[in-house]
Amino acid sequence: STPSNSSAASDVYKRQLLRMKYPITHKCFDIIMLNGEDLTDRPFEKRKEILRDLLKGFKTIEYVDYTTDLERAWEEVKRKQEEGLILKRLGSRYEHTRSYSWIKVKNWRHEIVDVVGYTPGKNTRSIYFGALVLAKNGKFRGCVGSGFNEWQLRKIKEELDQAEKIDRPFEIGDVYTAVKTDLKVKVKYYKITDSGVMRFPVFEGIV
């Protein structure tokens, strides 16, 4: 075989090995078109029925079922530490935008963390701070810049001003002032990234 053919055969072999080592299954939740026919106006239950029948026998494409037992579904989400649920009204059509027929319920987590610094504020927040730099067990946990009311901004700014300025315990990819303080805050967040940082944190209160 020519060098190019040999290289192509090698690539195919590598892909096959990867498929065996890391099998991929596509999960299908809904269907909006089949053989050129628009199914968006079909009721939710009918679309699920069409999708289930269509995927029978497929090994790499998995039909995702639904349930009307919301309490049990929510407990399962919390047990598995999943992101949340999508609630769809029975009989609803497929909509490409946000709708009262489709509601996303997030599985928010809550955590108490240490304040170890703050970023500079901008615009209306310029007299306060931008976001609080947070840590847990001495490791960077993320930054929270939303959820504050006016009184909380003033109260926290007073404590930050009085706190001792120290060297930055870690770099976060942004400019911030590190402080030594006993200030702890409660934050809700969506999930934790692989690097241990909170996603979409929102301030809930001073502890």
Side-chain angles (χ1 to χ4, degrees), residues 131-171:
L132 298 178
V133 181
L134 310 173
K136 185 174 183 180
N137 298 325
K139 296 182 179 180
F140 179 55
R141 201 62 166 170
C143 296
V144 62
S146 63
F148 305 94
N149 60 37
E150 187 74 17
W151 180 87
Q152 291 165 336
L153 288 171
R154 291 177 182 273
K155 175 66 175 176
I156 294 173
K157 182 61 166 60
E158 288 177 3
E159 296 206 29
L160 295 175
D161 288 342
Q162 296 171 10
E164 177 186 354
K165 307 301 185 289
I166 61 174
D167 293 335
R168 296 173 187 167
F170 34 65
E171 294 301 322

Side-chain angles (χ1 to χ4, degrees), residues 55-197:
L55 297 181
K56 287 180 179 178
F58 278 85
K59 294 182 179 180
T60 59
I61 305 179
E62 179 181 330
Y63 166 76
V64 179
D65 207 351
Y66 67 99
T67 179
T68 57
D69 189 344
L70 298 184
E71 183 175 353
R72 182 176 179 181
W74 185 246
E75 290 301 320
E76 188 72 2
V77 164
K78 292 193 293 183
R79 184 181 68 81
K80 293 182 178 179
Q81 290 292 294
E82 294 177 336
E83 293 187 0
L85 290 174
I86 298 293
L87 305 183
K88 297 185 178 183
R89 181 172 58 83
L90 296 178
S92 62
R93 66 185 299 277
Y94 187 94
E95 300 186 58
H96 297 276
T97 59
R98 291 189 177 186
S99 165
Y100 287 112
S101 295
W102 291 16
I103 301 175
K104 186 174 184 179
V105 182
K106 293 182 178 181
N107 179 24
W108 290 104
R109 285 80 157 174
H110 305 267
E111 190 167 274
I112 294 175
V113 286
D114 300 312
V115 175
V116 297
Y118 60 95
T119 64
K122 298 178 181 179
N123 301 323
T124 58
R125 292 276 289 276
S126 61
I127 60 173
Y128 300 118
F129 55 87
L132 298 178
V133 181
L134 310 173
K136 185 174 183 180
N137 298 325
K139 296 182 179 180
F140 179 55
R141 201 62 166 170
C143 296
V144 62
S146 63
F148 305 94
N149 60 37
E150 187 74 17
W151 180 87
Q152 291 165 336
L153 288 171
R154 291 177 182 273
K155 175 66 175 176
I156 294 173
K157 182 61 166 60
E158 288 177 3
E159 296 206 29
L160 295 175
D161 288 342
Q162 296 171 10
E164 177 186 354
K165 307 301 185 289
I166 61 174
D167 293 335
R168 296 173 187 167
F170 34 65
E171 294 301 322
I172 65 172
D174 200 357
V175 176
Y176 76 98
T177 301
V179 295
K180 183 178 181 181
T181 175
D182 294 327
L183 181 62
K184 295 179 181 292
V185 295
K186 185 178 181 182
V187 175
K188 71 175 183 178
Y189 61 93
Y190 200 13
K191 64 181 297 186
I192 295 292
T193 67
D194 292 339
S195 58
V197 175

